[in-house]
Amino acid sequence: MILMLLDHLRETWLVLVPMPDPVDASTVLPALAIARFAASFCAPIFVALTGLSAYLFSVSHSRGETTAFLVKRGLLLMAIDLFYLSPLYWGVVPQPTFWLQVIWCLGLCMILLAGLIRLPDPPALPWGWCWFAATISSIPFDYIRATRCFRSGRCCISGT
């Protein structure tokens, strides 16, 4: 969480400082690139910790209680992100765009998990492993994207 805090503070503190695009690998400062790369691990870790906390809750509660808790908490997180955090991001109401970010994703994951725990254990297990593999495999590709490859005889790598 400290890494994520530093990344968000960097955006706030350095908004008026002229600097190159922080996601352009050809012009970014190495320290900034390393900090952004490290911060890209935060969201998948938050999702994994959400799953762990749901499991720990389910150990001492029934399946029905766990499902109700996950649906209510998921809807609450989605509402907080949509109606509170998104307007804060823009600073105006009504905002021109809704930004659905990590908190919204966590709420959606809780609702999906509420549906998955209602399945019998053997069918639910492959879904969990697929979800885990998709989350882990997407981490290296968060900020690296090949654009206009082989322009000038080389492949340019820039952030997304």
Side-chain angles (χ1 to χ4, degrees):
M1 291 208 305
I2 297 297
L3 290 173
M4 217 48 189
L5 175 67
L6 290 176
D7 190 48
H8 288 297
L9 286 177
R10 175 198 54 80
E11 291 176 0
T12 304
W13 289 345
L14 301 177
V15 72
L16 298 176
V17 176
M19 61 184 339
D21 184 10
V23 294
D24 185 2
S26 63
T27 61
V28 70
L29 300 171
L32 183 59
I34 291 169
R36 288 188 60 83
F37 178 73
S40 71
F41 287 93
C42 292
I45 290 172
F46 291 159
V47 172
L49 289 175
T50 301
L52 177 64
S53 67
Y55 167 74
L56 293 174
F57 183 87
S58 71
V59 168
S60 60
H61 294 83
S62 71
R63 191 175 281 195
E65 291 171 332
T66 304
T67 300
F69 171 77
L70 289 172
V71 168
K72 286 184 223 173
R73 181 63 54 95
L75 290 172
L76 176 67
L77 288 175
M78 292 171 75
I80 287 172
D81 194 31
L82 190 62
F83 298 115
Y84 181 69
L85 295 176
S86 187
L88 281 179
Y89 182 81
W90 285 102
V92 295
V93 175
Q95 66 270 19
T97 304
F98 287 102
W99 290 95
L100 306 176
Q101 297 188 31
V102 175
I103 302 296
W104 189 87
C105 174
L106 290 174
L108 181 64
C109 289
M110 285 183 156
I111 293 170
L112 291 174
L113 187 58
L116 285 176
I117 65 171
R118 303 300 278 176
L119 295 175
D121 288 339
L125 189 60
W127 283 105
W129 282 112
C130 289
W131 199 324
F132 176 75
T135 301
I136 295 302
S137 66
S138 70
I139 291 172
F141 303 107
D142 280 348
Y143 292 106
I144 299 174
R145 170 177 52 116
T147 58
R148 300 183 196 263
C149 283
F150 307 111
R151 182 184 66 185
S152 307
R154 66 184 179 90
C155 187
C156 300
I157 304 295
S158 68
T160 57

